[in-house]
Amino acid sequence: MTARTTPAKRSTPAERILKVADKLFYQDGIRAVGVDRLIAESGVAKASFYRAFPSKDDLVAAWLDVRDQHWRAWLQDAIEKLAPRAQDKPLAVFDALDARFRQSTFRGCAFINTITELARLDHPGAHAARRHKESVRTLLASLLKDAGYKDFEALAVMFLQLIDGAIVAAVREGKPDAALRAKQLAELLLTARTKKAK
């Protein structure tokens, strides 16, 4: 008796469009990528595209929401591997970023890039980008709380600012060590907070 193989699940038009959008929007920018190119490279019919995403703005927001899920999953997984102990996890964020900055495909933060490129805070993409940053802030607050810092909410805001600054510096300088410089600042910040508590 031969074993039956399960056929591979075929991706939906929306999934194919999002996969292509992820590559092209991050690589070339949102404004540089038109709907016709997205349709051609994803291999879907125009009607299928507009059924999945009534407008390009809707696609941009959906793309960022999916990217947010993948990015946070990556970060949490990287932190777990780098720092098994709760007290080491907040600073491990910067070690994870350092590894990411060293990838040849690194083009900065898709969420910062989107806000900057669109220059419209009322755009659905800008809303999605802000949701991502708030999710990251929440994750940082959780890590800092678990590490024993009482003012974890305030620290999370400062850590997020260090992360955003490191990302922009890495792109501006073309060097990955911005994450490790930000880590040094984060260490100073945590040391100062620890001293205040005594």
Side-chain angles (χ1 to χ4, degrees):
M1 186 174 173
T2 58
R4 293 174 63 184
T5 58
T6 306
K9 184 186 168 197
R10 191 155 181 238
S11 60
T12 65
E15 289 168 338
R16 293 199 299 277
I17 294 161
L18 282 166
K19 185 175 180 181
V20 169
D22 186 49
K23 176 189 165 197
L24 297 181
F25 286 162
Y26 186 63
Q27 174 183 285
D28 298 336
I30 293 166
R31 295 193 188 279
V33 179
V35 169
D36 289 341
R37 184 178 174 195
L38 290 162
I39 289 170
E41 295 206 24
S42 60
V44 302
K46 187 174 273 196
S48 297
F49 179 95
Y50 284 109
R51 263 196 304 274
F53 304 103
S55 72
K56 185 179 173 184
D57 289 355
D58 293 318
L59 172 59
V60 170
W63 160 60
L64 289 173
D65 284 340
V66 171
R67 193 170 180 97
D68 165 64
Q69 293 168 15
H70 292 167
W71 195 91
R72 284 186 294 118
W74 160 79
L75 182 60
Q76 288 176 302
D77 183 58
I79 291 167
E80 286 300 320
K81 289 175 181 168
L82 289 164
R85 300 187 314 162
Q87 60 264 42
D88 299 329
K89 290 184 191 303
L91 291 177
V93 169
F94 299 95
D95 295 319
L97 289 174
D98 178 63
R100 196 164 186 97
F101 291 178
R102 293 176 191 280
Q103 295 174 352
S104 61
T105 54
F106 177 69
R107 300 283 181 275
C109 171
F111 307 93
I112 293 173
N113 294 350
T114 296
I115 291 171
T116 305
E117 183 180 0
L118 296 176
R120 273 185 45 209
L121 292 179
D122 62 337
H123 190 285
H127 290 300
R130 287 199 301 277
R131 281 195 301 273
H132 163 75
K133 292 299 179 182
E134 179 57 24
S135 296
V136 175
R137 188 205 60 75
T138 300
L139 171 61
L140 293 168
S142 176
L143 294 174
L144 289 156
K145 182 180 181 183
D146 291 346
Y149 292 94
K150 290 182 180 176
D151 53 350
F152 56 89
E153 292 287 0
L155 281 169
V157 172
M158 291 181 241
F159 265 53
L160 183 57
Q161 189 164 341
L162 286 174
I163 289 167
D164 285 349
I167 291 167
V168 173
V171 174
R172 177 176 54 81
E173 297 168 1
K175 298 176 183 176
D177 63 346
L180 298 182
R181 293 199 308 269
K183 181 181 179 181
Q184 291 177 322
L185 292 171
E187 286 177 301
L188 291 172
L189 186 59
L190 293 182
T191 300
R193 291 294 168 135
T194 302
K195 286 177 181 174
K196 280 186 181 178
K198 289 181 180 177

